[in-house]
Amino acid sequence: GRAGDVVAAYADTIKGAIAAKLATVAGLSAATIHTRVRNFGGGNEATFQALFVAGGRVNGWEIEQESGSAEWASVNVATDQRDLFLLRGYYGVNDAADSAATFRALVEGVCDALHRDHTLGGTVTTHGAAQLRRYGFGTRGGTLTHYAEIALEARWTRKL
């Protein structure tokens, strides 16, 4: 395949490894962790509900590659790749059940799961510390949710 196909395919592999780590967090389900971002504007409420509702509550994550860069590791032999991934979490608001505290614990659990394995099971050379970039409320698919966005830089070597 083309050079870009190799990098894109490996980004998908990394997203899969991140999803596997998220699935180990108590309170999250692999069924509501997705490695592809979708548009939930307009009439896509049913799609959002199908993807992110577990046990009657919005509780899901999506993973996206935001950017990538490379430097020569060895000229014409290998590059050191740096890819930035965004993990977006959604959790249905329920003030009576203190959903804010529950979601905060889920976000911390996600960061802890990533920090416990800096190679994502050997998928990457290493990754940086998970960075919580945004945290608050949002509307997704017409549903009021708690929202978090975590950035994670993954580093890996691509042999040419």
Side-chain angles (χ1 to χ4, degrees):
R2 297 181 321 226
D5 294 340
V6 171
V7 174
Y10 205 72
D12 288 344
T13 299
I14 295 169
K15 288 191 290 185
I18 293 169
K21 286 295 161 203
L22 267 61
T24 67
V25 175
L28 295 184
S29 166
T32 58
I33 299 169
H34 304 282
T35 59
R36 171 172 100 91
V37 176
R38 295 166 178 90
N39 177 6
F40 297 111
N44 292 321
E45 176 69 20
T47 301
F48 177 81
Q49 296 292 325
L51 292 170
F52 292 105
V53 172
R57 171 184 302 283
V58 172
N59 183 11
W61 289 78
E62 60 186 358
I63 303 162
E64 172 184 23
Q65 180 187 17
E66 181 182 74
S67 63
S69 63
E71 297 177 359
W72 286 114
S74 180
V75 176
N76 296 329
V77 176
T79 56
D80 285 331
Q81 302 289 137
R82 291 177 182 252
D83 294 317
L84 184 63
F85 293 89
L86 294 183
L87 294 68
R88 293 184 186 93
Y90 311 102
Y91 192 76
V93 172
N94 181 340
D95 286 336
D98 198 10
S99 58
T102 301
F103 185 59
R104 185 66 189 196
L106 288 172
V107 169
E108 289 175 9
V110 165
C111 291
D112 289 347
L114 294 167
H115 293 157
R116 280 193 287 275
D117 180 5
H118 73 96
T119 67
L120 298 173
T123 304
V124 298
T125 307
T126 191
H127 66 72
Q131 304 293 317
L132 181 60
R133 293 201 324 192
R134 292 192 183 123
Y135 185 84
F137 294 99
T139 302
R140 208 55 176 165
T143 303
L144 179 62
T145 64
H146 299 281
Y147 170 80
E149 183 177 280
I150 297 170
L152 185 74
E153 182 185 71
R155 300 175 197 124
W156 56 284
T157 299
R158 177 174 174 237
K159 298 199 184 331
L160 303 176

